[in-house]
Amino acid sequence: MFYQQLIVVFLAGIPYFLSLDGEFVFDDTEAILKNNDVTSVSWSEPFYHDFWGSQIDSSLSHKSYRPLTILSFKLNYLINRRQLSALQFKITNLVLHILCCSLLLIIYKIILNKCNFKHSSCMDVGFSAIMLFSTHPIHVENVSGIVGRADILAAISFFLSFLMYDKAMNGQSFGYLLISLLFSGTSMLFKENGITALGFCTVYEIIAKMKFIKRDLKTHNINDIRKKYNTSISRLFIVLCAIAVFLYLRWMVMAGVKPVFKSTDNPAAFTNNSFSRIATHNYIYFINALLLVWPQWSCYDWSMGCIPLIQDYSDFRILFIISLYAALCLFGVYIYKSRGPYRILILSTSLMIIPFLPASNIFYPVGFVVAERILYIPSAGYCLLVAVGLQKIIVRLKSLVLRKLTLYLFYFVVLIYGLKSAQRSFEWQNEFKLFTSALQVCPFNAKVHYNIAKVADAKDNLTWAMEEYKEAIRQIVPRVLSSNEQFCKFVEES
């Protein structure tokens, strides 16, 4: 396993190595350069402020409570002799990404062993999955964008929480369960979705015991089974209580006030048309799935018309939604009928879906349309699912030549992912590259044109700046008028 870890370090680090010498870009300005919590002498202020330095109990706050991430920024600031160096921040992000990949390899091995997954002599499923994860282009925003550190730190704590929970399941000290809960709570202080670690642990407990429960139902009565699994039931009860406590504390930190976002941040959440809201959100799920499978389109900001609302049934994008749920239904049927590794399939899917739930707009509206960095943890489940599927394909191939060819094709995909990550990381070096790259993905995003105008103005290219300012106004005015019409209609109906 040592040589595998060395390869993981190489694969995770090499795509970003040449692009580390960059600048603070986009959200880094507000979260780091303009955030007094990073440069102040106080270590307690981040616990009273949101991620951007505003009072967390303010009605104007976005309620993004990530004090430990801010403290990690402060450590960078102090280690560098009270100088804000983008290079040092980016190096820290890369080291953390490599650490997370190394930890995830261990997690993959544990999950596969727990599910009694039969490995093929042709490939190592866990290692193949981590190769894909290490080079996946969806992680560029997390590594090259400094604020993406929140997701990396939350992921590390997430996986450590799972690691401790697995030890608790193996009959070791009850203290491991408490440590698992502690890591989950810590993950929440890096980023909000950290609480989903306990949700995944709950599914893991149930799936791991499912095989034995089915066997015991044939030979034992219900009372004997209840006694046998009393420890598991108690453990799950403690986890559910911990989830409730963490959610209550999070609500108290927010002073019982929901975050307030603008309609331009997440247009689908503000539309009064129920069909449009539901259809658009489901299309956004498709976009997120597509970014995992085919990460061709990357954009630093997907708001302000980047994804137009689906207004009626004639919109061709509904076909993509239907295809997404058709694929999910077929996958569900396959799991139900499968006599093979159904448990690993369920766990892989759970690792992909559960950490995404806080960003799904199901429980509450979020302040973005698509954010590539929130796919950092879900991509771990996706990569494991791909590796499991790849092994099933290789096992079914009778020809040794075809098996090797399939494996080489997978290695080629890993290479393409690594090259794509390297190319995208160069775009994150400065705001000029980052903002102009977004025109290929979101040409109708007013914020993209406005940001390009600011960069052009800073470069004294006034002609280009005026063109982009005018384009930004041309894109935003119809949406403002539409929002005003909806507001007036709402007032009249009320």
Side-chain angles (χ1 to χ4, degrees), residues 242-303:
I243 293 174
V245 170
F246 287 155
L247 289 176
Y248 175 75
L249 291 176
R250 185 69 173 81
W251 182 251
M252 293 299 293
V253 165
M254 295 166 56
V257 179
K258 292 183 179 179
V260 178
F261 302 109
K262 300 176 183 177
S263 59
T264 51
D265 296 327
N266 186 358
F270 285 84
T271 180
N272 294 322
N273 187 319
S274 297
F275 168 79
S276 179
R277 181 172 59 254
I278 295 172
T280 305
H281 280 155
N282 279 274
Y283 178 69
I284 291 170
Y285 301 157
F286 170 80
I287 293 294
N288 280 280
L290 186 63
L291 286 172
L292 287 176
V293 178
W294 189 16
Q296 173 62 28
W297 302 281
S298 295
C299 185
Y300 71 93
D301 190 295
W302 290 76
S303 64

Side-chain angles (χ1 to χ4, degrees), residues 22 49 100 146 170 181-182 219 221 255 273-274 306 319 331 371 376 387 397 407 439 452:
H49 298 160
C100 186
I146 298 170
N170 291 336
L181 300 179
L182 179 62
T219 57
N221 60 48
N273 187 319
S274 297
C306 202
L319 294 176
F331 182 66
Y376 192 84
L397 294 174
L407 203 55
L439 284 176
I452 292 175

Side-chain angles (χ1 to χ4, degrees), residues 61 71 87-88 97 102 115 143 189 231 284 289 331 464-465 480 488:
S61 171
L71 291 182
L87 174 61
Q88 190 198 63
H97 173 59
S102 298
C115 294
V143 181
L189 297 178
T231 304
I284 291 170
F331 182 66
W464 187 22
V480 172
C488 292

Side-chain angles (χ1 to χ4, degrees), residues 156-407:
I156 292 173
S157 302
F158 181 107
F159 296 134
L160 286 174
S161 176
F162 171 81
L163 189 62
M164 294 300 104
Y165 192 86
D166 177 72
K167 289 183 177 296
M169 276 183 59
N170 291 336
Q172 298 188 31
S173 171
F174 180 76
Y176 281 112
L177 177 60
L178 297 180
I179 297 174
S180 174
L181 300 179
L182 179 62
F183 273 125
S184 179
T186 302
S187 188
M188 282 186 69
L189 297 178
F190 285 124
K191 193 166 184 179
E192 297 78 7
N193 62 348
I195 193 173
T196 58
L198 296 182
F200 178 66
C201 288
T202 301
V203 174
Y204 178 68
E205 175 93 46
I206 295 171
I207 296 301
K209 294 292 191 295
M210 186 179 293
K211 179 180 179 180
F212 303 105
I213 293 174
K214 286 184 177 180
R215 182 195 61 193
D216 291 339
L217 283 173
K218 297 177 181 179
T219 57
H220 298 75
N221 60 48
I222 297 298
N223 291 330
D224 291 338
I225 293 174
R226 188 180 293 113
K227 291 178 181 178
K228 185 174 181 178
Y229 295 101
N230 185 55
T231 304
S232 293
I233 295 172
S234 301
R235 192 160 43 237
L236 288 175
F237 177 76
I238 293 172
V239 168
L240 293 176
C241 289
I243 293 174
V245 170
F246 287 155
L247 289 176
Y248 175 75
L249 291 176
R250 185 69 173 81
W251 182 251
M252 293 299 293
V253 165
M254 295 166 56
V257 179
K258 292 183 179 179
V260 178
F261 302 109
K262 300 176 183 177
S263 59
T264 51
D265 296 327
N266 186 358
F270 285 84
T271 180
N272 294 322
N273 187 319
S274 297
F275 168 79
S276 179
R277 181 172 59 254
I278 295 172
T280 305
H281 280 155
N282 279 274
Y283 178 69
I284 291 170
Y285 301 157
F286 170 80
I287 293 294
N288 280 280
L290 186 63
L291 286 172
L292 287 176
V293 178
W294 189 16
Q296 173 62 28
W297 302 281
S298 295
C299 185
Y300 71 93
D301 190 295
W302 290 76
S303 64
M304 288 194 171
C306 202
I307 299 180
L309 296 177
I310 296 177
Q311 301 287 2
D312 52 55
Y313 293 96
S314 63
D315 195 311
F316 75 94
R317 290 175 294 173
I318 290 180
L319 294 176
F320 297 127
I321 301 173
I322 294 173
S323 65
L324 173 65
Y325 283 100
L328 289 175
C329 288
L330 290 174
F331 182 66
V333 170
Y334 174 78
I335 291 177
Y336 178 76
K337 293 184 176 181
S338 176
R339 294 181 180 179
Y342 69 92
R343 292 191 295 166
I344 189 63
L345 297 178
I346 294 175
L347 284 175
S348 301
T349 307
S350 299
L351 183 56
M352 184 167 55
I353 293 177
I354 292 175
F356 179 75
L357 289 177
S360 65
N361 287 283
I362 294 176
F363 303 107
Y364 52 82
V366 296
F368 54 86
V369 179
V370 175
E372 294 163 27
R373 57 179 174 259
I374 62 99
L375 295 175
Y376 192 84
I377 302 177
S379 65
Y382 165 75
C383 292
L384 182 57
L385 198 61
V386 170
V388 170
L390 177 66
Q391 195 211 26
K392 288 188 69 66
I393 292 173
I394 289 176
V395 168
R396 291 190 177 187
L397 294 174
K398 296 180 180 179
S399 170
L400 182 61
V401 175
L402 287 178
R403 287 185 176 187
K404 288 184 176 181
L405 185 63
T406 304
L407 203 55

Side-chain angles (χ1 to χ4, degrees), residues 303-306 308 439 441-446 449 471 474-475 479:
S303 64
M304 288 194 171
C306 202
L439 284 176
V441 182
C442 294
F444 304 115
N445 188 332
H449 291 283
E471 182 63 23
R474 191 179 72 82
Q475 294 290 345
R479 295 185 180 89

Side-chain angles (χ1 to χ4, degrees), residues 47-68:
F47 291 92
Y48 299 95
H49 298 160
D50 64 15
F51 191 54
W52 314 101
S54 302
Q55 288 290 335
I56 189 66
D57 56 359
S58 169
S59 59
L60 301 177
S61 171
H62 283 188
K63 310 299 182 183
S64 48
Y65 188 65
R66 303 162 195 172
L68 295 187

